[in-house]
Amino acid sequence: MANRRKGIRSAFFRDAVRLKKDPLRQHLSGICELSQAQTTILLKHLPAIFSGATGRDKARATQTLAETVGGDAEHILQIVSVLEFLADQWDVYEDRAEDVLCDIREVGLLPETKAQCARIERFLKRFFRFLEKDSERRRRQRATSSVLPFLLRVDSAVDYRAVFQTAFNWSEDDPNRYSPSCQEVVPVILLKFVLSGNDHPIIFQCEPRDLEMTIGRLRAVQREYQKSQMLF
């Protein structure tokens, strides 16, 4: 305790009163049921889950982890869920591995058996060291996604529009006698940009030439971004 940092303790410690301790303790204790090889594989695959750009990427990485670790898939996914919870509570500016581990001890989430407690602590130390290293990525991510909305995903579709040979004149034509003539349909490209914190996505249509120009511009700015990284 004498070596604890000064200031605010971890969010995990502050929120402990609202946590369902029994399930958390149970899932943490489940780490003891994994072999050393399984825990190593588990930690190896966690970065792909935490750094997944989309929910689909995270789901795919989680499925790969469960299949690679082997054993009871539900049990593995429960452990991953607890680790994701701990990662969400992790303060990328303040938290340190030893401090958070001390908080976990004090809120009574470790098993009473010394052998199990020691094994879980060894695992958590390795996991928290990973979170410490991942904090740099998360700080950069937070910096790049703050203030302005950021792109969540791009959806696309090809629509078809009817080409009419006639045009309705609202001031002269009788709608009951209007007989439009349609001889063909033409494809139209539709794009939807979904941004963070935006309930109204940007939806527009474009021609193939416009799409090619946009793709070319995106490839160009990708190269510009790669070149700018070399400056630091």
Side-chain angles (χ1 to χ4, degrees):
M1 290 293 294
N3 295 325
R4 283 192 61 87
R5 70 172 188 271
K6 296 181 180 180
I8 299 176
R9 300 176 73 158
S10 69
F12 187 83
F13 182 86
R14 299 193 300 274
D15 293 342
V17 69
R18 295 185 291 152
L19 301 177
K20 296 180 179 179
K21 293 186 179 181
D22 290 339
L24 279 172
R25 185 187 293 110
Q26 176 184 351
H27 297 332
L28 280 175
S29 298
I31 294 172
C32 297
E33 300 176 18
L34 302 179
S35 66
Q36 185 65 32
Q38 285 179 308
T39 57
T40 298
I41 294 173
L42 179 62
L43 291 170
K44 180 180 178 180
H45 283 78
L46 285 178
I49 297 176
F50 293 143
S51 62
T54 66
R56 186 178 181 84
D57 292 338
K58 294 178 185 293
R60 186 183 293 110
T62 302
Q63 178 178 323
T64 299
L65 180 149
E67 293 173 348
T68 307
V69 172
D72 186 344
E74 181 180 357
H75 177 60
I76 299 299
L77 294 177
Q78 287 174 339
I79 294 175
V80 171
S81 178
V82 171
L83 297 180
E84 286 183 308
F85 170 76
L86 294 175
D88 288 341
Q89 297 280 345
W90 184 271
D91 188 315
V92 297
Y93 294 100
E94 297 291 339
D95 285 342
R96 299 293 180 270
E98 289 299 329
D99 296 333
V100 179
L101 185 58
C102 180
D103 290 341
I104 289 179
R105 292 191 195 103
E106 292 188 25
V107 297
L109 289 181
L110 296 179
E112 296 180 0
T113 306
K114 289 185 178 180
Q116 288 186 332
C117 184
R119 185 170 181 183
I120 293 174
E121 285 194 10
R122 286 195 298 270
F123 175 85
L124 289 179
K125 284 180 180 179
R126 295 173 66 188
F127 174 60
F128 290 152
R129 282 198 294 270
F130 157 71
L131 290 183
E132 285 181 334
K133 294 178 181 178
D134 195 48
S135 290
E136 180 178 354
R137 178 191 66 83
R138 294 173 66 184
R139 285 193 294 268
R140 293 178 63 186
Q141 184 182 50
R142 184 178 299 182
T144 57
S145 62
S146 61
V147 184
L148 293 175
F150 58 92
L151 184 65
L152 293 177
R153 72 174 191 274
V154 178
D155 296 332
S156 61
V158 176
D159 194 14
Y160 284 93
R161 304 290 174 80
V163 178
F164 293 97
Q165 303 301 315
T166 56
F168 177 74
N169 187 324
W170 67 270
S171 64
E172 298 179 2
D173 293 341
D174 182 353
N176 295 322
R177 295 182 178 181
Y178 175 61
S179 180
S181 175
C182 177
Q183 296 183 351
E184 63 177 326
V185 293
V186 294
V188 177
I189 299 169
L190 305 181
L191 295 176
K192 179 171 74 172
F193 289 1
V194 181
L195 308 180
S196 63
N198 188 352
D199 296 332
H200 304 287
I202 301 172
I203 305 175
F204 60 95
Q205 64 185 48
C206 63
E207 298 290 334
R209 182 177 178 277
D210 300 326
L211 182 62
E212 291 176 3
M213 179 180 64
T214 302
I215 293 174
R217 179 64 261 181
L218 292 176
R219 288 177 175 169
V221 75
Q222 182 182 40
R223 293 178 64 86
E224 292 170 352
Y225 176 79
Q226 293 170 345
K227 179 66 71 171
S228 67
Q229 286 185 307
M230 300 173 61
L231 300 176
F232 301 95

